[in-house]
Amino acid sequence: MTFICENTKKSFFYFFLNNFSGINYIKETFKKSIKKKQALWVNAEENFNKETNSDLRLHEITDRLTYLLSLGKIPEYSTQEYYKGHLESTLHIAVVFCKPLFEGEITVEFSRRISTTLSQVKYGKLKPDIIAFIGGNIDKGKMSGATAGYVYFRHLSVEASVDLMGLEFIIEEKMKNPKDNLVSLLTTLRKRFGDEAVSKCHFTLISSDYHLIRIAEIHKLSQRQSILNPLYEAGATWTYLFAAYPFCVSPDPTLAFLGRIRVLANDLTIVLVNLNGIVEFNEFVARENFSRLCETNRKLRTMLRIMSEPGSSSTSGGSSIEIPPKQWEVLEKSLCVIHEIQTVLTPLIDGKSVEKRILVRARDLFMNTVKDIRMSIDPDRPLNNHEWALTIEKIKK
């Protein structure tokens, strides 16, 4: 945990710029490409669309996954933070869920989370006292997503001339698990402000929309396993700030296909948590989750059938889906496993019992399948210079 106070944050920031080898890619890329970026910024001013705000409420966001799968173009990523419920809070904490770096670089999806946060701060739609970047790193020898997120946030703020006066920052990178990171964050806040102040804290949770939807659904249906449980037990309140996931509507048909698979895997994770609750805590299977499983199975089966048909294409230009055989193998295997999970859970939905050993086997099988999808299918990639310039220009407007 690193707490960056007002008096030290600038020196901390420049220390990282000049001494931390893990962010050399940021500094060197900026130095080498500054002239190219200046030209790109001029072009960006001519081509960028104006931002629009979306005022989705929590009870409406579960429809967002279907919406993502049906979009024909990229939505504006600006999202609205909701103030209802924390008007009496004594401290407002913005929590940014950070992604690991890809070969030492900030990715497109990760950049969207950071730029969304900065845009909301700039225009006064998000007014936190502290911004916490959370996300550990499995490889201790490399820079964590939390540290990279903070440095990138500061870079964007300088380039876009965003005033951060009065803000404090926390880098929480010791734990690999987001839930443990939140627990550690609460511990730090208690040490500094006391238990009573933390009980009156409000947290704005910032991440990709599909990720926050998963967090909200798991908390609603399996609260004991929710990463938000530490906040709930502390008496704190929270809302969500959504960064639009960019890949479902990519002009590249392969990226769009993989993005949709990624969103479907998000739904499977919600079901998996419920299944684990059945095994470990004797929870009931939620009918909503069983319907989610069946619907995901139908969508995935339809997508694979369409994409595997001879001569099929996903754009008017005739561009077809091309993914490695390994990814096709993972998806086809997933269909078989999903069908088996449906078969195991059906008796529970009908009020009948299922032997625990069968449920344990199904849980473990399902866990490995979801892990395989998430590890092998992710269209996210490093941010290029052109996208970096567009990000800066969009925040400036």
Side-chain angles (χ1 to χ4, degrees):
M1 169 74 72
T2 302
F3 204 117
I4 307 172
C5 301
E6 181 65 30
N7 294 333
T8 62
K9 62 188 178 186
K10 288 186 179 179
S11 60
F12 177 87
F13 173 59
Y14 288 111
F15 168 79
F16 268 92
L17 286 184
N18 294 300
N19 296 287
F20 199 96
S21 60
I23 64 165
N24 282 340
Y25 75 92
I26 296 178
K27 184 170 66 174
E28 294 304 319
T29 298
F30 291 172
K31 285 182 178 179
K32 292 178 180 178
S33 61
I34 187 65
K35 291 184 179 179
K36 181 183 294 184
K37 289 190 178 90
Q38 289 173 343
L40 290 173
W41 292 338
V42 173
N43 184 60
E45 288 180 343
E46 299 174 353
N47 295 300
F48 240 38
N49 295 324
K50 294 182 179 180
E51 292 182 310
T52 58
N53 288 328
S54 173
D55 289 330
L56 293 177
R57 296 191 179 279
L58 180 58
H59 69 276
E60 297 170 327
I61 66 175
T62 53
D63 294 331
R64 191 69 176 271
L65 294 178
T66 300
Y67 169 71
L68 286 173
L69 295 174
S70 63
L71 283 176
K73 63 178 182 178
I74 278 190
E76 295 293 344
Y77 70 73
S78 177
T79 50
Q80 182 66 47
E81 197 248 344
Y82 306 103
Y83 293 94
K84 182 179 180 181
H86 69 277
L87 296 179
E88 301 300 324
S89 63
T90 57
L91 196 64
H92 185 183
I93 316 293
V95 178
V96 183
F97 289 92
C98 300
K99 287 196 70 175
L101 301 182
F102 186 93
E103 297 179 353
E105 299 190 41
I106 296 286
T107 65
V108 174
E109 183 182 351
F110 191 7
S111 174
R112 184 67 65 89
R113 298 180 188 182
I114 301 299
S115 61
T116 296
T117 305
L118 187 58
S119 293
Q120 298 290 295
V121 169
K122 176 181 179 179
Y123 294 107
K125 297 176 181 178
L126 178 66
K127 302 177 181 179
D129 301 294
I130 298 171
I131 299 180
F133 297 87
I134 67 172
N137 198 342
I138 296 177
D139 188 344
K140 295 297 183 182
K142 296 182 179 179
M143 182 168 54
S144 70
T147 297
Y150 167 73
V151 173
Y152 183 61
F153 181 88
R154 293 302 300 269
H155 265 296
L156 291 183
S157 67
V158 170
E159 295 293 336
S161 301
V162 179
D163 183 10
L164 302 179
M165 185 62 65
L167 281 176
E168 295 186 358
F169 300 87
I170 291 178
I171 298 175
E172 174 49 65
E173 58 183 357
K174 291 183 179 179
M175 306 297 182
K176 303 173 186 177
N177 186 303
K179 186 174 183 178
D180 292 337
N181 280 320
L182 284 176
V183 170
S184 181
L185 174 60
L186 287 172
T187 300
T188 297
L189 293 174
R190 286 190 180 100
K191 288 180 179 178
R192 178 166 182 180
F193 302 106
D195 290 343
E196 184 177 355
V198 171
S199 70
K200 296 180 180 179
C201 276
H202 179 80
F203 293 81
T204 295
L205 308 177
I206 306 165
S207 190
S208 303
D209 41 19
Y210 74 88
H211 183 215
L212 292 177
I213 290 169
R214 184 179 81 213
I215 289 174
E217 285 293 284
I218 290 175
H219 186 73
K220 181 178 72 173
L221 299 173
S222 304
Q223 183 174 320
R224 189 190 311 225
Q225 302 176 81
S226 169
I227 70 170
L228 301 180
N229 221 25
L231 302 184
Y232 176 79
E233 292 176 349
T237 59
W238 62 86
T239 48
Y240 305 94
L241 177 56
F242 302 93
Y245 183 60
F247 293 106
C248 285
V249 291
S250 170
D252 183 319
T254 298
L255 286 179
F257 175 76
L258 295 177
R260 286 165 166 76
I261 296 298
R262 189 76 176 175
V263 171
L264 290 176
N266 186 75
D267 263 6
L268 293 179
T269 303
I270 298 172
V271 179
L272 173 60
V273 171
N274 190 187
L275 180 53
N276 184 67
I278 296 171
V279 171
E280 299 294 338
F281 309 113
N282 294 319
E283 293 181 359
F284 293 103
V285 58
R287 287 186 175 273
E288 185 175 339
N289 273 333
F290 186 75
S291 298
R292 178 180 279 115
L293 179 68
C294 296
E295 182 65 12
T296 302
N297 184 28
R298 184 190 66 78
K299 289 178 179 177
L300 184 58
R301 193 174 297 277
T302 299
M303 290 172 66
L304 290 183
R305 186 185 71 249
I306 293 175
M307 299 311 171
S308 62
E309 289 176 353
S312 66
S313 63
S314 57
T315 67
S316 58
S319 299
S320 58
I321 303 298
E322 295 182 4
I323 65 174
K326 168 93 173 151
Q327 291 182 334
W328 279 112
E329 181 181 339
V330 169
L331 294 175
E332 289 173 349
K333 177 183 176 183
S334 299
L335 283 175
C336 296
V337 172
I338 292 172
H339 178 73
E340 182 172 345
I341 301 303
Q342 283 182 257
T343 302
V344 170
L345 294 181
T346 297
L348 295 178
I349 291 294
D350 294 335
K352 301 176 183 178
S353 61
V354 176
E355 291 183 40
K356 185 168 183 177
R357 63 177 182 82
I358 296 177
L359 291 173
V360 170
R361 178 184 175 279
R363 188 270 312 271
D364 294 345
L365 182 63
F366 197 24
M367 185 181 300
N368 289 332
T369 297
V370 172
K371 181 180 178 181
D372 286 345
I373 295 176
R374 296 178 65 181
M375 294 294 292
S376 62
I377 300 177
D378 186 358
D380 203 13
R381 55 173 175 73
L383 195 71
N384 61 41
N385 289 339
H386 180 71
E387 292 162 333
W388 187 91
L390 292 179
T391 299
I392 295 292
E393 208 53 45
K394 192 163 189 178
I395 295 172
K396 283 184 175 181
K397 290 187 175 182

